[in-house]
Amino acid sequence: MSLLPRLLILPLALLLALPTATWGDDAPLLETVHAFLYEQSQALGDEVMIEVHPPAGQFPACESAEPFLPGQRELAPGRVSVGIRCGEGHQVRYLQAQLTVFGDYPVAARQLSPGERLGADDLRLERGDLGRLPRQALREIDAALGLQLTRPLGEGRPLLASMLRAEPLVERRQRVVVEARGQGFRVTREGEALDEGGRGERVRVRLSGREIIEAEVIAPGRLAVPL
């Protein structure tokens, strides 16, 4: 079985089946845009459906059409605007298309509670329209393994990046060591963590002089401040 993304071209085929009076000379241009979107969408999922909408009115002739995505935007499922540069003068026109992408994404295999550290048995892959997923939904199970859930998640619900965090290496009210490093020196001070945090997170620390600073968690019980 081919591992290349499968392209469902029925929408284009149906459009091309319309009477030529409806299409005029637009068919080659729409085919060019369709091929461009297919090439751009291969990394989005393993099954892609592309529907290029014909222009509302008669499209002027477009020689040497060069499709592009306006604003250097990354392609995403949903309604897409495609710019087309025409001829030597680079006159720009626009067409609309609908991009539907199907693929696998991780969901909770059971009811999950806040504080649980996620393992492979806690998740399963589900297949569906990726354009209907929330913006922060994860696409790979490995991206969630070993992370801690911050809020409840019902069975079959997708995982969002905002509901996951690294396992805390510093607990609230824990005695910690804060270090500051510079060229040729290193200074350490003790303090009390006012927040819990995982690796790479910034937490508040109360130093011995009652001064409160923010520092980055770098190891169990150890934090660092930038100089």
Side-chain angles (χ1 to χ4, degrees), residues 80-155:
V80 179
S81 179
V82 181
I84 305 149
R85 295 187 184 93
C86 299
E88 295 183 359
H90 298 296
Q91 182 180 7
V92 176
R93 296 162 186 150
Y94 295 91
L95 284 177
Q96 300 296 313
Q98 185 70 29
L99 193 66
T100 305
V101 180
F102 297 91
D104 297 330
Y105 56 92
V107 300
R110 58 178 179 81
Q111 178 71 35
L112 299 173
S113 302
E116 290 196 56
R117 185 177 179 182
L118 298 179
D121 293 340
D122 299 320
L123 308 170
R124 71 170 189 265
L125 286 176
E126 197 158 288
R127 186 173 184 79
D129 181 354
L130 301 181
R132 295 181 177 274
L133 292 179
R135 184 181 296 266
Q136 290 191 326
L138 299 184
R139 291 285 312 281
E140 304 289 340
I141 284 182
D142 288 348
L145 296 182
L147 298 182
Q148 193 176 55
L149 200 61
T150 61
R151 59 178 186 262
L153 186 65
E155 181 178 353

Side-chain angles (χ1 to χ4, degrees), residues 170-176 178 191-197 201-207 210-217 223-225:
V170 169
E171 302 289 344
R172 188 169 178 268
R173 296 186 178 179
Q174 178 183 346
R175 298 299 298 176
V176 296
V178 181
E192 178 187 5
L194 300 181
D195 311 297
E196 69 173 19
E201 294 182 328
R202 297 183 67 84
V203 301
R204 294 173 303 148
V205 180
R206 181 186 289 118
L207 302 178
R210 312 300 293 176
E211 178 187 3
I212 296 177
I213 64 171
E214 277 196 351
E216 180 181 333
V217 179
L223 303 97
V225 292

Side-chain angles (χ1 to χ4, degrees), residues 16 23 37 41 64 95 128 139 145-146 161 169 177 184 208 213 217:
L16 291 175
W23 273 89
L37 289 174
S41 65
S64 305
L95 284 177
R139 291 285 312 281
L145 296 182
L169 299 179
V177 174
S208 56
I213 64 171
V217 179

